[in-house]
């Protein structure tokens, strides 16, 4: 694989307190890596948490920090790059993804969005992540749906797209998949205080909208909610855990392995209008 130079200047507000380096607590240092592969560079990405991490942070940055430090959010950093599977980023995309992940300014000068000029691109990339134009949101949804569908088939669960599937004790379940941003004005206040609150709010909305109809049909509504930084909601985690158990039985594999296979991972979205969601 071709090697590329990657340098990022991390602001001083990120250099105090502690950092989590893919699960290990380390002291902060300035981030810079030269000649590293996509996966190797990912192992140097630092997520600020712990004592002193929120003292000088905005509400948006607090929401980002809580989301990126949640379980499963960093799965994309450990993916082996594979262009053939659509699991690779070019150097510019990778650098932009790292900047977005660390909360660095992704849109200096706040230029207008190329697809909806009435909306400026914000420094944390919220609009680029949530823009409804250009097809990114639909593509992301469909890719996640297809991966869940394929995993169900591997576990011998009779599942169909846009239809209920046999689930617990033969009772049909309707999976309703969505991705939400913790930086959405509706969620940001609570997301800045509690990790996963954006996903919880979206789950409640899905139940409010779908439970009555699903009950009439004899279905169970199961929202599969992911936050844009990669963390999954509690109901999705429970569903993927059950799916991993079915898959372990079917393939005679340890659940520790099938749990990784059954939980989709999100690569960061197109904060530079050129990046796409992919799956590990």
């Amino acid at each position: 694989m071709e090697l590329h130079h990657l340098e990022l200047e991390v602001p001083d507000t990120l250099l105090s307190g502690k950092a989590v380096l893919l699960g290990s607590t380390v002291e902060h240092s300035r981030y810079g890596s030269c000649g590293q592969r996509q996966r190797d560079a990912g192992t140097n990405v630092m997520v600020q948490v712990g004592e002193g991490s929120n003292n000088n942070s905005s509400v948006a940055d607090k929401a980002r920090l809580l989301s990126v430090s949640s379980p499963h959010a960093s799965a994309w950093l450990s993916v082996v790059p594979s262009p053939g599977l659509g699991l690779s980023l070019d150097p510019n995309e990778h650098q932009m993804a790292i900047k977005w992940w660390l909360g660095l300014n992704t849109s200096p000068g706040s230029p207008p969005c190329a697809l909806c000029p009435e909306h400026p691109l914000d420094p944390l990339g919220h609009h680029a992540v949530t823009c409804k134009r250009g097809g990114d949101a639909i593509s992301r949804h469909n890719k996640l749906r297809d991966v869940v569908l394929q995993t169900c088939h591997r576990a011998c669960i009779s599942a169909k797209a846009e239809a209920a599937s046999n689930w617990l004790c033969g009772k049909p379940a309707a999976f309703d998949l969505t991705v939400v941003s913790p930086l959405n004005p509706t969620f940001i206040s609570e997301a800045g205080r509690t990790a996963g609150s954006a996903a919880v709010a979206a789950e409640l909305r899905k139940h409010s909208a779908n439970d009555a109809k699903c009950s009439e049909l004899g279905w169970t509504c199961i929202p599969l909610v992911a936050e844009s930084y990669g963390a999954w909601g509690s109901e999705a985690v429970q569903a993927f855990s059950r799916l991993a158990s079915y898959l372990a039985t079917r393939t005679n594999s340890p659940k520790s392995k099938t749990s990784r296979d059954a939980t989709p991972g999100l690569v960061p979205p197109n904060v530079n209008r050129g990046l796409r969601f992919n799956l590990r």
Side-chain angles (χ1 to χ4, degrees):
M1 179 180 293
E2 185 179 0
L3 302 183
H4 298 278
H5 178 77
L6 174 63
E7 288 185 347
L8 296 174
E9 181 181 352
V10 179
D12 291 338
T13 54
L14 291 180
L15 301 181
S16 59
K18 298 282 186 178
V20 169
L21 179 57
L22 292 184
S24 301
T25 303
V26 296
E27 294 293 340
H28 267 294
S29 61
R30 285 196 177 274
Y31 174 81
S33 59
C34 298
Q36 290 183 307
R37 300 171 186 238
Q38 174 178 318
R39 186 179 185 183
D40 296 335
T43 63
N44 284 328
V45 174
M46 298 177 297
V47 180
Q48 177 197 18
V49 296
E51 183 179 358
S53 64
N54 289 334
N55 291 346
N56 300 314
S57 301
S58 67
V59 174
D61 209 43
K62 291 175 184 177
R64 178 190 62 81
L65 289 169
L66 288 171
S67 188
V68 299
S69 58
S70 298
H72 308 294
S74 60
W76 70 279
L77 294 171
S78 60
V79 175
V80 177
S82 175
L85 295 176
L87 301 179
S88 65
L89 304 175
D90 68 35
N92 290 333
E93 291 173 338
H94 188 223
Q95 180 161 327
M96 184 61 69
I98 296 297
K99 290 176 67 177
W100 174 75
W101 183 258
L102 290 176
L104 305 182
N105 191 344
T106 60
S107 305
S110 298
C113 174
L115 298 178
C116 47
E118 66 274 17
H119 294 291
L121 296 176
D122 56 285
L124 288 179
H126 169 68
H127 176 75
V129 172
T130 58
C131 183
K132 301 299 183 182
R133 300 184 185 177
D136 283 359
I138 295 175
S139 175
R140 174 186 63 199
H141 172 276
N142 291 346
K143 286 183 178 181
L144 286 170
R145 177 203 62 197
D146 291 346
V147 167
V148 173
L149 188 64
Q150 291 164 10
T151 305
C152 286
H153 291 165
R154 290 174 56 204
C156 292
I157 295 174
S158 178
K160 296 181 180 180
E162 312 302 335
S165 306
N166 288 331
W167 188 238
L168 183 61
C169 298
K171 184 175 182 179
F175 293 140
D176 193 348
L177 193 150
T178 189
V179 180
V180 296
S181 171
L183 305 189
N184 186 302
T186 304
F187 308 130
I188 191 170
S189 179
E190 184 60 30
R193 294 190 294 264
T194 307
S197 60
V200 171
E203 288 173 344
L204 292 175
R205 285 187 174 188
K206 289 295 185 181
H207 281 299
S208 178
N210 299 325
D211 277 358
K213 182 177 180 180
C214 286
S215 180
E216 290 178 2
L217 297 171
W219 300 352
T220 298
C221 173
I222 302 178
L224 302 181
V225 180
E227 294 191 352
S228 55
Y229 288 102
W232 286 95
S234 60
E235 294 195 54
V237 171
Q238 293 173 11
F240 294 145
S241 178
R242 184 176 298 278
L243 187 56
S245 296
Y246 292 152
L247 192 58
T249 300
R250 172 63 179 171
T251 62
N252 196 28
S253 300
K255 189 177 177 180
S256 59
K257 178 183 183 300
T258 59
S259 293
R260 294 192 299 269
D261 295 341
T263 304
L266 282 73
V267 165
N270 179 13
V271 291
N272 198 31
R273 308 306 300 169
L275 207 58
R276 291 289 185 271
F277 266 89
N278 290 307
L279 300 166
R280 64 180 172 88

